[in-house]
Coordinates of all heavy atoms in Angstrom, one line a residue:
N768 N 137.8 13.2 282.0 CA 137.4 12.5 280.8 C 136.0 13.0 280.4 O 135.0 12.3 280.7 CB 137.5 11.0 281.0 CG 137.2 10.3 279.7 OD1 137.3 10.8 278.6 ND2 136.7 9.1 279.8
Y769 N 135.9 14.2 279.9 CA 134.6 14.8 279.5 C 134.0 13.9 278.4 O 134.6 13.4 277.5 CB 134.7 16.2 279.0 CG 135.2 17.2 280.1 CD1 136.3 18.0 279.9 CD2 134.4 17.3 281.2 CE1 136.7 18.9 280.8 CE2 134.8 18.2 282.2 CZ 135.9 19.0 282.0 OH 136.3 19.9 282.9
I770 N 132.6 13.8 278.5 CA 131.9 13.0 277.5 C 130.5 13.6 277.5 O 130.0 14.1 278.5 CB 131.9 11.5 277.8 CG1 131.3 10.7 276.7 CG2 131.1 11.3 279.1 CD1 131.6 9.2 276.8
T771 N 129.9 13.6 276.3 CA 128.5 14.1 276.2 C 127.5 13.0 276.7 O 127.9 11.8 276.8 CB 128.1 14.4 274.7 OG1 128.2 13.2 273.9 CG2 129.1 15.5 274.1
P772 N 126.3 13.4 277.0 CA 125.3 12.4 277.4 C 125.1 11.3 276.4 O 125.0 10.1 276.7 CB 124.1 13.2 277.7 CG 124.5 14.6 278.0 CD 125.8 14.8 277.2
E773 N 125.2 11.7 275.1 CA 125.0 10.8 274.0 C 126.2 9.8 273.9 O 126.0 8.6 273.7 CB 124.8 11.5 272.6 CG 123.6 12.3 272.5 CD 123.7 13.7 273.2 OE1 124.8 14.1 273.6 OE2 122.7 14.4 273.3
G774 N 127.4 10.3 274.1 CA 128.6 9.5 274.1 C 128.6 8.5 275.2 O 129.0 7.3 275.1
F775 N 128.2 9.0 276.4 CA 128.1 8.1 277.6 C 127.1 7.0 277.3 O 127.3 5.8 277.6 CB 127.7 8.8 278.8 CG 127.9 8.0 280.1 CD1 129.1 7.8 280.7 CD2 126.8 7.3 280.6 CE1 129.3 7.0 281.8 CE2 127.0 6.5 281.8 CZ 128.2 6.4 282.4
A776 N 125.9 7.3 276.7 CA 124.9 6.3 276.4 C 125.4 5.3 275.4 O 125.1 4.1 275.5 CB 123.7 7.0 275.8
K777 N 126.3 5.7 274.5 CA 126.8 4.7 273.5 C 127.8 3.8 274.3 O 127.8 2.6 274.0 CB 127.6 5.4 272.4 CG 126.7 6.0 271.4 CD 127.4 6.7 270.3 CE 126.5 7.3 269.3 NZ 127.2 8.0 268.2
L778 N 128.6 4.3 275.2 CA 129.5 3.4 275.9 C 128.7 2.4 276.8 O 129.0 1.2 276.8 CB 130.4 4.2 276.9 CG 131.5 5.1 276.3 CD1 132.2 5.8 277.4 CD2 132.5 4.2 275.6
R779 N 127.6 2.9 277.4 CA 126.8 2.1 278.2 C 126.1 1.0 277.4 O 126.0 -0.2 277.8 CB 125.7 2.9 279.0 CG 124.6 2.2 279.7 CD 125.1 1.2 280.6 NE 125.6 1.8 281.8 CZ 126.1 1.1 282.8 NH1 126.3 -0.2 282.8 NH2 126.6 1.7 283.9
A780 N 125.6 1.4 276.2 CA 125.0 0.4 275.3 C 125.9 -0.7 274.9 O 125.6 -1.9 274.8 CB 124.4 1.1 274.1
E781 N 127.2 -0.3 274.5 CA 128.2 -1.3 274.1 C 128.5 -2.2 275.3 O 128.6 -3.4 275.1 CB 129.4 -0.6 273.7 CG 130.5 -1.5 273.2 CD 131.8 -0.8 272.7 OE1 131.8 0.4 272.7 OE2 132.7 -1.6 272.4
Y782 N 128.6 -1.7 276.5 CA 128.9 -2.5 277.7 C 127.7 -3.4 277.9 O 128.0 -4.6 278.1 CB 129.1 -1.5 278.9 CG 129.4 -2.3 280.2 CD1 130.7 -2.5 280.5 CD2 128.4 -2.7 281.0 CE1 131.0 -3.2 281.7 CE2 128.7 -3.4 282.2 CZ 130.0 -3.6 282.5 OH 130.3 -4.3 283.7
D783 N 126.5 -2.9 277.9 CA 125.3 -3.8 278.1 C 125.2 -4.9 277.1 O 124.9 -6.0 277.4 CB 124.1 -2.9 278.2 CG 124.0 -2.1 279.4 OD1 124.8 -2.3 280.4 OD2 123.2 -1.1 279.4
H784 N 125.5 -4.6 275.8 CA 125.4 -5.6 274.7 C 126.5 -6.7 275.0 O 126.2 -7.9 274.8 CB 125.6 -4.9 273.4 CG 125.7 -5.9 272.3 ND1 124.5 -6.5 271.8 CD2 126.7 -6.4 271.5 CE1 124.8 -7.3 270.8 NE2 126.2 -7.3 270.6
L785 N 127.7 -6.3 275.3 CA 128.8 -7.3 275.5 C 128.4 -8.1 276.7 O 128.6 -9.4 276.6 CB 130.1 -6.6 275.8 CG 130.8 -6.0 274.5 CD1 132.0 -5.2 274.9 CD2 131.2 -7.1 273.6
L786 N 128.0 -7.5 277.8 CA 127.7 -8.3 279.0 C 126.4 -9.1 278.9 O 126.3 -10.2 279.4 CB 127.6 -7.3 280.2 CG 127.4 -7.9 281.6 CD1 128.7 -8.8 281.9 CD2 127.2 -6.9 282.6
G787 N 125.4 -8.5 278.3 CA 124.1 -9.2 278.2 C 123.8 -10.1 277.0 O 123.0 -11.0 277.1
V788 N 124.6 -9.9 275.9 CA 124.3 -10.7 274.7 C 125.5 -11.5 274.3 O 125.5 -12.7 274.2 CB 123.9 -9.7 273.6 CG1 123.7 -10.5 272.3 CG2 122.6 -9.0 273.9
E789 N 126.6 -10.8 274.0 CA 127.8 -11.4 273.5 C 128.4 -12.5 274.5 O 128.7 -13.6 274.1 CB 128.9 -10.4 273.1 CG 128.6 -9.6 271.9 CD 128.7 -10.4 270.6 OE1 129.6 -11.2 270.5 OE2 127.8 -10.2 269.7
R790 N 128.7 -12.0 275.7 CA 129.4 -12.9 276.6 C 128.5 -14.1 276.9 O 129.1 -15.3 276.9 CB 129.7 -12.1 277.9 CG 130.7 -12.9 278.8 CD 131.2 -12.1 279.9 NE 132.4 -12.8 280.6 CZ 132.3 -13.9 281.3 NH1 131.1 -14.5 281.5 NH2 133.4 -14.4 281.8
P791 N 127.2 -14.0 277.2 CA 126.4 -15.2 277.5 C 126.4 -16.2 276.3 O 126.5 -17.4 276.5 CB 125.0 -14.7 277.8 CG 125.2 -13.3 278.3 CD 126.4 -12.8 277.5
R792 N 126.4 -15.6 275.1 CA 126.4 -16.5 273.9 C 127.8 -17.3 273.8 O 127.8 -18.5 273.5 CB 126.3 -15.6 272.6 CG 126.1 -16.4 271.3 CD 125.8 -15.6 270.1 NE 126.9 -14.6 269.9 CZ 128.0 -14.8 269.3 NH1 128.3 -16.0 268.9 NH2 128.9 -13.9 269.1
I793 N 128.9 -16.6 274.1 CA 130.2 -17.3 274.1 C 130.3 -18.3 275.2 O 130.8 -19.4 275.0 CB 131.3 -16.2 274.1 CG1 131.3 -15.4 272.9 CG2 132.7 -16.9 274.3 CD1 131.6 -16.1 271.6
V794 N 129.8 -18.0 276.4 CA 129.8 -18.9 277.5 C 129.0 -20.2 277.1 O 129.5 -21.3 277.4 CB 129.2 -18.3 278.8 CG1 128.9 -19.3 279.8 CG2 130.1 -17.2 279.3
E795 N 127.9 -20.0 276.4 CA 127.1 -21.2 276.0 C 127.9 -22.0 275.0 O 128.0 -23.3 275.1 CB 125.8 -20.7 275.3 CG 124.9 -21.8 275.0 CD 123.6 -21.2 274.4 OE1 123.0 -20.3 275.0 OE2 123.2 -21.7 273.3
V796 N 128.6 -21.4 274.0 CA 129.4 -22.1 273.0 C 130.6 -22.8 273.7 O 130.8 -24.0 273.4 CB 130.0 -21.2 271.9 CG1 131.0 -21.8 271.1 CG2 128.8 -20.6 271.1
V797 N 131.3 -22.2 274.7 CA 132.4 -22.8 275.4 C 131.9 -24.0 276.2 O 132.5 -25.0 276.2 CB 133.1 -21.7 276.2 CG1 134.1 -22.4 277.2 CG2 133.8 -20.7 275.4
S798 N 130.8 -23.8 276.9 CA 130.2 -24.9 277.7 C 129.9 -26.1 276.8 O 130.2 -27.3 277.1 CB 129.0 -24.5 278.4 OG 129.3 -23.5 279.3
W799 N 129.2 -25.9 275.6 CA 128.9 -26.9 274.7 C 130.2 -27.6 274.2 O 130.3 -28.8 274.2 CB 128.1 -26.4 273.5 CG 127.9 -27.3 272.4 CD1 127.0 -28.3 272.3 CD2 128.7 -27.3 271.2 NE1 127.2 -29.0 271.1 CE2 128.2 -28.4 270.4 CE3 129.8 -26.6 270.7 CZ2 128.8 -28.7 269.2 CZ3 130.3 -26.9 269.5 CH2 129.8 -28.0 268.8
A800 N 131.2 -26.8 273.8 CA 132.4 -27.3 273.2 C 133.2 -28.1 274.3 O 133.8 -29.1 274.0 CB 133.3 -26.2 272.7
A801 N 133.2 -27.7 275.5 CA 133.9 -28.4 276.6 C 133.3 -29.8 276.8 O 134.1 -30.7 277.2 CB 133.8 -27.6 277.9
G802 N 132.0 -29.9 276.6 CA 131.4 -31.2 276.7 C 131.7 -32.2 275.6 O 131.3 -33.3 275.6
N803 N 132.4 -31.7 274.6 CA 132.7 -32.6 273.4 C 134.0 -33.3 273.5 O 134.5 -33.8 272.5 CB 132.6 -31.7 272.1 CG 131.3 -31.3 271.7 OD1 130.3 -31.9 272.1 ND2 131.1 -30.2 271.0
G804 N 134.6 -33.3 274.6 CA 135.8 -34.1 274.8 C 137.1 -33.2 274.8 O 137.2 -32.2 275.4
D805 N 138.1 -33.7 274.0 CA 139.4 -33.2 274.0 C 139.4 -31.7 273.7 O 139.1 -31.3 272.6 CB 140.3 -33.9 273.0 CG 141.8 -33.5 273.0 OD1 142.1 -32.7 273.9 OD2 142.5 -34.0 272.2
R806 N 139.8 -30.9 274.7 CA 139.7 -29.4 274.5 C 140.9 -28.9 273.7 O 140.9 -27.8 273.1 CB 139.6 -28.7 275.8 CG 138.4 -29.1 276.6 CD 138.3 -28.4 277.9 NE 137.2 -28.9 278.7 CZ 136.9 -28.6 279.9 NH1 137.7 -27.8 280.6 NH2 135.8 -29.0 280.5
S807 N 142.0 -29.6 273.7 CA 143.2 -29.1 273.1 C 143.1 -29.0 271.5 O 143.8 -28.2 270.9 CB 144.4 -30.0 273.4 OG 144.3 -31.3 272.9

Side-chain angles (χ1 to χ4, degrees):
N768 182 25
Y769 293 125
I770 192 166
T771 63
E773 297 81 10
F775 190 83
K777 284 182 183 178
L778 287 179
R779 170 56 73 184
E781 183 179 355
Y782 182 90
D783 291 345
H784 176 76
L785 286 171
L786 187 63
V788 177
E789 287 289 320
R790 194 170 193 291
R792 186 176 59 79
I793 294 298
V794 167
E795 187 177 311
V796 168
V797 169
S798 295
W799 169 81
N803 288 337
D805 185 7
R806 296 177 186 176
S807 65

